[in-house]
Each structure stands twice: as structure tokens, then as C-alpha cells.
Amino acid sequence: MRFILLCTLLLIASPLQAAERLNVVASFSILADFVRNVGGDRINLTTLVGADGDVHVYTPTPSDAKRIADAKLVIVNGLGLEGWLPRLVQSAGSKAKVVTASAGITPLKLGAAADPHAWQSIPNAKIYVTDIANALAAAAPDDAEFFRAQASAYLEKLETLDREVRQAVVKIPPERRKVISTHDAFGYFSSEYGIRFIAPLGVSTETEPSARDIAAIISQIKAARIPAVFLENISDDRLIRRIAAETGAKVGGTLISDGLTGEKGLAPTYIDMVRHNIKALTSALDH
Ligand SMILES: [Zn+2]
């Protein structure tokens, strides 16, 4: 009798526990990292664009529609980053609340449109995290205190990270705080921390630069006395070496902007990503 009762309790208890946890979908890896730090094991988190994926050009799969349909909250960056998302939410017939994590920040422009890469400023990331905590707390009031405690512990880590970045930048002589980069994702970083990101003149970020492009970059580096270049779309080592030899500029490593790497990569978390970037920048710019 006691055995039967125990079995019945187990049968009832386990599906309930799974169902009680809040189903949350995050659009891409960086947001998912924020959500995970706040939600911990009290939520079921799914990420649409995972490690090493490109959130700008994602094509949703049928299983994404299912995940959205089952979700209570869908957390997105907004500012035009996930152009593919509104249709996905609509076609999934989802009743999920869509939370725009960037809603509290002051947007910058990228060309004529809003620049979506707001997370590259740590003060902005803190606004994201606070708003995510509020959204989780509103969706699962029983866990509200847990979410707020998790968020405040994580916000402290972000505060420390922000200090690290500022201390690293202060050590770079002011006239050296500029790089040529094909990334257009560092506008917020640049305006927050004062390292200028200058686009190489006339070079498309999509294609491999020609010899003429390289000559133009070389004159640009010399004219503006730019101490370092981050040209990740140039795969030809000879071109890189030519730039370094003719200008004396350092050729920096990889900067990570729009998504995290897998566990074994350079940046499995947001904090790792920021530390990786600031290290790459300071080792190219310090003197
Ligand atoms: Zn981007």
C-alpha cells in the first residue's frame, strides 16, 4: 500500500515539476547567457541562434516554431537585429510575451538604422539583465526573489568587468586608442570606452580585399597613424604581412561581437567575450 502510494506520488510529482518551470526562449547566445545567469535552474531555456551562429542572417527551423509555441517568454534584442523573428512568432501562433531586452538603452545609429549591438557596452548589458530579471519575475512571481538575487550577483560581476575594461583602456596612450576594423559591431563599445573603430576605406566586409584595397588601407593607416588593424576577413597572410611591414601597424587577432563560442572556444560566456576583446585590443594598442 505504501509502495503504491509512493509510486503514485512520483508519477504526479515529476511531470508537474517540469511543467512548473518557466519556458523561456532567447533569440541568440549572448542574450541566452544573460537569461541563464538570472533564471538558473528555475527556467527551461532554449536558444534559437546558438554558439557560433549568425543572428543577423538566421533561417528559423520548424523546431524553432515549436519552441516558440511552447514558450511563455521570448527574449529578443530588438533594434532590428532579429528581422526573422516577428514572422516566426506569428506563424508559431505563439501567445508568448515578447520581451525586448534593449528597450531601456539609448540607441546609437549605424548608417541610417539603429545599431543593434548595444550589448557591447557593459552599462547597457546591465540594463538588459535588470529588464530580463523583471520579465522573469513578472512571468513567475513565485520565483521573483530568486531571479532578483541571481541578477544582483551577476550585475556585480558585470560591474567588476566594466572596471577591468576602463582600467585597461586608461593604460593605452590616448593617441593610440584607435583601430581599423571590418567589424561594424563596436559602436557602443567605442562610445562607452573611447577606443575608435575606423572602417577600412572602400573595403567591403563581405569580400576578400583586392591588392588595390590593401594599398588604400596602407595609406589610410599611415595618414591617420593607426597603431593596429583587425582585418579578420583577409585570409591571405601575405596581404596581412604587407600591411604590417609597410605601416608598422600591429595586426590584431579576432574580436568577437555578435555571438558566443562553444564551451571550448574563446568566449563561451559574455564575460569571457569582453575579456577576450579587451585583451586583444590592449595587446595590439599598448606600448
Ligand atoms: Zn552584428
Side-chain angles (χ1 to χ4, degrees):
M1 180 62 191
R2 195 177 286 169
F3 174 74
I4 293 168
L5 183 65
L6 184 64
C7 290
T8 315
L9 282 175
L10 283 174
L11 278 174
I12 296 168
S14 43
L16 261 184
Q17 263 179 357
E20 271 171 7
R21 293 207 300 183
L22 186 66
N23 275 336
V24 184
V25 168
S27 61
F28 78 115
S29 54
I30 291 171
L31 275 186
D33 187 39
F34 294 156
V35 177
R36 189 179 304 108
N37 273 287
V38 175
D41 60 4
R42 303 281 173 99
I43 61 167
N44 291 319
L45 174 63
T46 29
T47 310
L48 298 180
V49 183
D52 302 314
D54 185 348
V55 61
H56 288 288
V57 294
Y58 184 66
T59 307
T61 65
S63 70
D64 291 336
K66 168 92 173 70
R67 291 149 138 190
I68 295 257
D70 292 343
K72 193 151 182 207
L73 285 180
V74 177
I75 298 181
V76 304
N77 181 76
L79 301 172
L81 182 71
E82 305 99 337
W84 43 270
L85 197 116
R87 234 181 97 199
L88 176 64
V89 173
Q90 200 190 20
S91 70
S94 175
K95 297 206 166 55
K97 182 172 172 21
V98 177
V99 177
T100 303
S102 70
I105 66 106
T106 306
L108 297 177
K109 289 271 180 195
L110 183 60
D115 182 348
H117 308 92
W119 59 86
Q120 288 292 352
S121 137
I122 301 166
N124 282 348
K126 290 167 69 185
I127 294 172
Y128 277 43
V129 169
T130 305
D131 288 352
I132 288 168
N134 289 337
L136 295 185
D142 288 352
D143 287 323
E145 248 174 75
F146 173 82
F147 295 142
R148 297 233 160 81
Q150 292 275 110
S152 83
Y154 185 58
L155 286 169
E156 253 176 63
K157 289 185 192 170
L158 294 182
E159 187 69 49
T160 306
L161 184 68
D162 186 60
R163 271 200 302 275
E164 278 175 40
V165 173
R166 290 178 201 281
Q167 284 163 2
V169 173
V170 162
K171 288 186 192 142
I172 303 168
E175 71 280 6
R176 293 181 61 83
R177 292 177 197 162
K178 55 191 174 188
V179 298
I180 283 193
S181 165
T182 44
H183 275 279
D184 60 2
F186 288 92
Y188 292 88
F189 180 89
S190 187
S191 89
E192 191 63 48
Y193 302 108
I195 293 180
R196 283 177 63 206
F197 279 68
I198 301 159
L201 283 176
V203 177
S204 151
T205 54
E206 310 298 322
T207 54
E208 184 89 5
S210 64
R212 188 190 288 175
D213 292 337
I214 297 297
I217 293 174
I218 287 172
S219 355
Q220 189 186 4
I221 294 170
K222 285 181 176 165
R225 296 165 177 264
I226 293 163
V229 293
F230 289 81
L231 297 165
E232 290 153 39
N233 61 328
I234 304 181
S235 53
D236 187 339
D237 273 351
R238 287 168 305 177
L239 295 181
I240 299 278
R241 279 199 301 272
R242 195 181 137 203
I243 293 172
E246 291 189 27
T247 65
K250 280 198 193 168
V251 179
T254 307
L255 296 172
I256 301 172
S257 59
D258 287 11
L260 302 177
T261 64
E263 274 307 312
K264 292 193 174 128
L266 294 170
T269 70
Y270 173 79
I271 291 176
D272 293 329
M273 176 188 80
V274 174
R275 287 208 174 115
H276 168 84
N277 287 343
I278 195 67
K279 206 173 145 199
L281 286 166
T282 49
S283 58
L285 295 175
D286 251 347
H287 237 1

